[in-house]
Amino acid sequence: MMKKRFFAVLALPAILAACASNTESEPTNSMITNTDLAAYNWVLNKVDGNELEIAEPFQVPNLQLSTDLGANGHAGCNRYFGQAELNEGKLRIENMGMTMMACPEPAMELERVMSATLMDWSTATVAGNQLTLTGIEHTLTFTRTDAE
């Protein structure tokens, strides 16, 4: 009886180690790809965790990406366009161009936050129908809809 317990005690760490090595080899968080982002209209619904309240006649900001990551959308006051880059889970729009209308606050502040976050490298995560861009200063949360 003593030998059986001794072998069971010795075998238990080996079994636990085998189980642990199997879970460690499985990816815990997959990196997003172009196909996770492209061909959708991403509508901004939160900035820094706060729900957006858009007054009429202003449009809700959005982000559209083509399969080659051509980017365009509405930033709060003006339309923008550019070429997005995706690198190791981070996203930015390089050389972003924008129309130049002036709008009253808070539309201009929202546009400053959105355009600054899109132009800098932001960590991009997709969970279900939500895209979150976490930048240096702000976090933008979008909801996915079909591309228009």
Side-chain angles (χ1 to χ4, degrees):
M1 180 97 157
M2 189 67 148
K3 284 184 180 181
K4 287 183 183 177
R5 284 189 191 157
F6 180 71
F7 288 119
V9 169
L10 288 179
L12 185 58
I15 292 169
L16 291 175
C19 291
S21 66
N22 284 344
T23 58
E24 288 174 11
S25 65
E26 294 174 6
T28 55
N29 190 5
S30 61
M31 196 92 47
I32 66 168
T33 64
N34 296 15
T35 56
D36 294 321
L37 301 173
Y40 298 110
N41 179 35
W42 297 96
V43 178
L44 185 66
N45 58 12
K46 290 182 186 176
V47 175
D48 300 328
N50 299 312
E51 295 283 337
L52 284 186
E53 294 180 23
I54 306 296
E56 290 291 330
F58 300 107
Q59 289 183 311
V60 176
N62 71 316
L63 168 64
Q64 289 187 335
L65 297 165
S66 61
T67 54
D68 67 351
L69 293 183
N72 70 78
H74 193 271
C77 179
N78 290 285
R79 298 209 47 82
Y80 67 90
F81 55 91
Q83 182 63 45
E85 296 178 280
L86 185 60
N87 187 0
E88 296 184 8
K90 294 191 179 276
L91 178 80
R92 77 170 175 180
I93 299 177
E94 187 178 36
N95 300 321
M96 189 162 84
M98 187 175 277
T99 59
M100 300 298 288
M101 294 188 321
C103 292
E105 295 299 341
M108 289 305 296
E109 178 59 24
L110 177 58
E111 181 166 290
R112 282 189 285 277
V113 167
M114 177 133 169
S115 60
T117 304
L118 291 175
M119 287 190 288
D120 289 335
W121 286 109
S122 296
T123 300
T125 56
V126 174
N129 69 342
Q130 289 205 319
L131 164 65
T132 303
L133 298 178
T134 305
I136 295 168
E137 295 184 37
H138 298 283
T139 298
L140 306 179
T141 305
F142 299 83
T143 300
R144 178 178 59 208
T145 63
D146 291 330
E148 297 175 349

